[in-house]
Amino acid sequence: MAKIVNYISEAFEELKSNVTWPEWAQVQSLTIVVAVFSVLFALATWGVDEFFAKALEGFFNWMKA
């Protein structure tokens, strides 16, 4: 148990002393960039899914006829 406590305390010390944290304005702008690209990627994935669903539906309707 002492090893776990030591590991956690060393990890917190590392975070406080050796990590360079970005400025709050940079964090906000990068968060917006990530959110916008996430929405765009989700819309692109939805569009491709809808396209293939319609294509397969048309193919199977053509095969049935």
Side-chain angles (χ1 to χ4, degrees):
M1 186 68 177
K3 288 183 179 182
I4 295 173
V5 172
N6 187 33
Y7 174 78
I8 292 172
S9 66
E10 286 179 2
F12 276 114
E13 184 61 35
E14 182 82 17
L15 287 172
K16 287 193 302 187
S17 61
N18 295 335
V19 174
T20 304
W21 297 99
E23 296 295 323
W24 181 245
Q26 185 182 16
V27 170
Q28 289 176 326
S29 65
L30 291 176
T31 301
I32 292 170
V33 169
V34 168
V36 167
F37 276 101
S38 296
V39 169
L40 290 176
F41 186 73
L43 289 173
T45 303
W46 173 79
V48 169
D49 180 56
E50 286 293 316
F51 172 76
F52 280 111
K54 298 290 183 192
L56 285 173
E57 181 182 355
F59 176 75
F60 286 120
N61 285 337
W62 175 72
M63 291 295 287
K64 192 170 30 172

